[in-house]
Amino acid sequence: FPFIWMLSTSLKVPTQVFSQPPVWIPDPVVLRNYIDVTTEVPMLRYLQNTLIITLIPTAATVVASSSVAFAFARLEWRGRGLFFAILMGTMMLPWQVTMIPIFVMFHKIGSAFYIFLLRQFFLSIPKEMDEAAIMDGANPPLIWWRITLPLAGPALAAVAIFSFIGHWNEFLAPLIYLQRASKWPLALGLI
């Protein structure tokens, strides 16, 4: 229903948008609205910016989170439990608390939630697969790349979807960080 209402509203003249009672079927149908939105506002530029700030961080999040989760789930090293507890502690900090230090440092660490999700999935993969790969001469990065990642397709897809939606819908970060309108994503360009 919201999509149908949005489509109907996009084809109305301005006086019909907020009229009471609501106009369900536009009369006249105004296709010119679609041309106006791309000529009066750099909507295609905003879309391009949105795709750049969505696709690149999504890919980086999937790679970084899966490699860190692999280290927590499959490798034995001293302090692993402590570092994982610290990582989980970062999930208790809302983004608004860390946004100023991030702005100052121009550095943002990956989401602890994605690492946790992937770690839990990696723990469900039998260790015998790693042991067999080690017997065949594989090292941990090769095990991660050739065995763990192909088996973790559903979990990686979930991380990619969550990350994509999170970056696509982000409003506050671009509002704070981006000073020029030519760099705005759709979320800012629509206001």
Side-chain angles (χ1 to χ4, degrees), residues 117-129:
L117 179 83
L118 290 170
R119 176 187 176 268
Q120 295 307 107
F121 189 89
F122 292 166
L123 287 174
S124 71
I125 298 172
K127 281 262 195 191
E128 289 80 12
M129 298 184 87

Side-chain angles (χ1 to χ4, degrees), residues 47-113:
L47 178 62
Q48 178 186 1
N49 293 341
T50 301
L51 290 174
I52 289 169
I53 65 174
T54 299
L55 295 177
I56 293 171
T58 297
T61 297
V62 169
V63 171
S65 297
S66 66
S67 62
V68 173
F70 178 80
F72 280 127
R74 309 303 270 189
L75 304 178
E76 298 291 331
W77 44 282
R78 210 171 94 191
R80 179 177 75 164
L82 174 65
F83 281 105
F84 187 68
I86 292 169
L87 179 74
M88 290 296 96
T90 65
M91 287 177 60
M92 291 184 245
L93 294 173
W95 183 81
Q96 291 80 0
V97 171
T98 61
M99 70 181 170
I100 300 302
I102 289 171
F103 182 74
V104 172
M105 297 179 343
F106 295 104
H107 177 69
K108 181 176 180 180
I109 60 173
S111 171
F113 171 72

Side-chain angles (χ1 to χ4, degrees), residues 125 129-130 132-133 138 142-152:
I125 298 172
M129 298 184 87
D130 294 1
L142 191 61
I143 293 170
W144 169 72
W145 182 254
R146 290 271 175 106
I147 295 172
T148 309
L149 287 184
L151 292 173

